[in-house]
Amino acid sequence: MADDSGVKLPFGFDSIEQYARELVVTYNEYEFLPKICIVAFFVSPQWDRVPKEWQRFFDSPQFDISSLIPMAAHGIVPKDAPESLRRYIDATFRLRFPRDPTPAHDSGQTKIVEYFLDGMNGKKSKEVVELSQLIDGVAKETGSRLVVDVGAGQGYLSRVLAYSNWLSRLSVLAVDFSEGQKRGAEALHGYMVKKLKCKRARAEGYVWEERFRERLDHQVLRVDMDSTGELVSTAQTVCQSKREERWMLCGLHACGDLSSAILKAFAESDAAAVVLVPCCYNLISEPASDAETTSQAAPAAAAGFPLSQSAFSSVRLGTNALKTACQATGRWDVDAVSVLGVFKRSYHRALLQYMMVSHGQLSAEDTIPVVGRVTSNDLKAVMTREDVSLQLGKLAHDDAGAGMEFAVYALAALEKMKHPWRPTVAQCVECQHGMKHGLQQVAAAWTLMAMVGPLVESMLVVDRALYLRECCGAGGSVRAFALFDVVESPRNVVLVAQRAGTVGTRNTRGEEGGIHC
């Protein structure tokens, strides 16, 4: 179901405002879940944040950790779950933004020749194929001949838009803040041009002309919430130099506040349209609290959330909640073994933190040290050390297995942290044995937190859609829908906005003209 603005909504909602209100109410009810700190799980009473009847259910000897995977992936309620837990699971699925993809192309328009896809993996190439067609259609409808690709990186999308001979061959300004990315994009561009000029390309129908080089410009430009004016002035200058009447913005997986800055640049400019796929929600900023604002000498920077004027003004997400929006619970069942491994590593990390505090190596108030990923090679290196292998041998009995596994992790993690403390294997085994239901609790808490993620992502999508509607005004067009396959590309939602006066001149779907090579 979509509301009048073109934003795809979950079943049962008639307007984006109604959907926004329900998201806020439900998030406020369960906002205690993202506040759980897994690393400090045993140091402070994190499990007490969970309702008592949920605790009793997950602590039950009959509870199977593997049931968490279909619960998070498909909303399958575990057997004998309390009614309040059932309501939570239902809410997280009923309210999540629709993620079934709406392809931007007709079935016969999916081939882009290999010259334009060099260097991309399968996931990236599919995303570029889909998004380039959508952008091309919006450019045709709005009469835009210049596309400003923000956060262009290695220039994969930029080259397809500029040179693919079954698209419109638009002029493209590829912007990235990294000089290294610019150099890499220019090197790949030169390699592509060589291939397009060869006999094979001509035989397959691609006729290269030197004037085509003018279609693509690369520029290094830092874009954030407080520097959108420079992006706009640069785009307008390029548009004038190319004698184009209209231009538009785009971004593929623009990280964190960069996606918000792209939308802000659209709002502050005369750009005809914007097409954006956001990513990395954990990097989105929020307004400083009153206390933080008072203590700051300089004015606070503009925040990436909320952007709209009223719908989410009372919502404060915080870092943990934004991190949950990066989870991809919909594909947990694709690799259940890996998910169970994440549960165990999280449990071991929480145990290590508890050990360090209880043995005076840290205080509960200290900043939590970063371990990073402990690899299988790190674990093997610890196990082959003579002193460790001797300790493991002495404790090689059935009821010490789980504790010994934790001991190997703990010693490897401490080495990664470059911390001098080395507990004995016996100490680690004793600590692990003292945490009854610890793995079940950590796994359940991790899952419950991750299931908040779709609600947070939905709020971010709706906030941005409402902001775009405020910018476009009457006669404009705003759409939000899933574009890519959600299992392969979890960040698959695209936002499309067109200003009044640019809508409806051409149809973005089913354009004439097919694949020429």
Side-chain angles (χ1 to χ4, degrees), residues 435-474:
M435 290 298 173
K436 187 179 180 181
H437 308 310
L439 176 57
Q440 289 178 221
Q441 292 173 355
V442 168
W446 179 273
T447 303
L448 293 168
M449 289 173 63
M451 291 178 69
V452 176
L455 300 182
V456 176
E457 183 177 20
S458 299
M459 285 193 286
L460 295 170
V461 170
V462 171
D463 172 59
R464 291 167 171 187
L466 287 169
Y467 175 69
L468 287 170
R469 194 172 70 175
E470 293 163 5
C471 300
C472 291

Side-chain angles (χ1 to χ4, degrees), residues 52-93:
K52 293 297 182 184
E53 60 178 346
W54 297 13
Q55 293 181 35
R56 289 191 292 272
F57 172 72
F58 290 119
D59 284 340
S60 166
Q62 287 74 43
F63 175 71
D64 181 3
I65 287 178
S66 63
S67 67
L68 294 169
I69 294 173
M71 182 179 94
H74 304 293
I76 298 174
V77 180
K79 183 181 178 182
D80 300 325
E83 182 59 32
S84 59
L85 178 58
R86 290 173 178 270
R87 288 198 302 272
Y88 170 66
I89 296 169
D90 173 71
T92 64
F93 277 83

Side-chain angles (χ1 to χ4, degrees), residues 12-31:
F13 291 95
D14 298 320
S15 72
I16 192 171
E17 290 85 2
Q18 178 195 12
Y19 181 38
R21 287 193 297 270
E22 186 71 15
L23 282 170
V24 172
V25 169
T26 304
Y27 178 75
N28 287 341
E29 183 178 355
Y30 298 109
E31 66 175 345

